[in-house]
Amino acid sequence: MTEPAFPPHIAAALDRLTVPPLPKGFGDRLAARLAAGDLPAESNSIAPPLAPTRRRFGNTGWRRSGRIVTVVAAFGIATATAAASGFFGAPVYVPVVSDALAKAKLVELPQKDFPKPKAKPRCRQQGNGSS
């Protein structure tokens, strides 16, 4: 335990104090009173009564919205995983989820279909000969 920092004059005064010895037979008398249950009326309870506990997770304010956000996020992750694994039909590529499922060797990565580039329209040359 750390020593409290007292100013020098108070520390010197505390050092001069002496504690008187306990009277003879004090411990025996105290043990006898405790064994007999002879205690003051207000000492029935060693500690004061505790305050009623507050509900830690109530249905009010931000706590409720936090639960809603958690449920929506969990539902989103579940549906993304189901879509990536092919539960709803053909597997769909979901960037993080599909890679994790392929790494765990649960499903194969779906082939990405790249759109074919459209052919550029050719310009017709107007060759009717007149200017």
Side-chain angles (χ1 to χ4, degrees):
M1 192 168 156
T2 60
E3 292 291 323
F6 290 112
H9 66 283
I10 294 179
L14 289 173
D15 289 339
R16 287 191 304 264
L17 291 176
T18 57
V19 178
L22 292 174
K24 290 187 180 187
F26 176 77
D28 295 332
R29 289 191 315 260
L30 181 62
R33 284 187 71 179
L34 288 174
D38 185 19
L39 298 173
E42 63 270 357
S43 68
N44 289 338
S45 165
I46 294 174
L50 296 175
T53 58
R54 292 176 36 189
R55 288 183 55 183
R56 189 169 196 164
F57 299 106
N59 288 332
T60 59
W62 291 103
R63 292 178 188 155
R64 185 182 337 164
S65 62
R67 277 192 235 158
I68 291 171
V69 168
T70 303
V71 168
V72 168
F75 185 71
I77 290 171
T79 55
T81 304
S85 65
F87 185 76
F88 299 125
V92 177
Y93 181 75
V94 179
V96 175
V97 179
S98 295
D99 296 333
L101 290 174
K103 191 178 233 182
K105 297 181 182 174
L106 296 174
V107 294
E108 292 182 17
L109 282 176
Q111 297 295 327
K112 296 179 186 176
D113 294 330
F114 294 106
K116 294 180 182 178
K118 293 181 181 179
K120 293 183 181 178
R122 289 202 255 165
C123 295
R124 291 178 149 183
Q125 292 182 355
Q126 299 199 5
N128 56 5
S130 61
S131 353

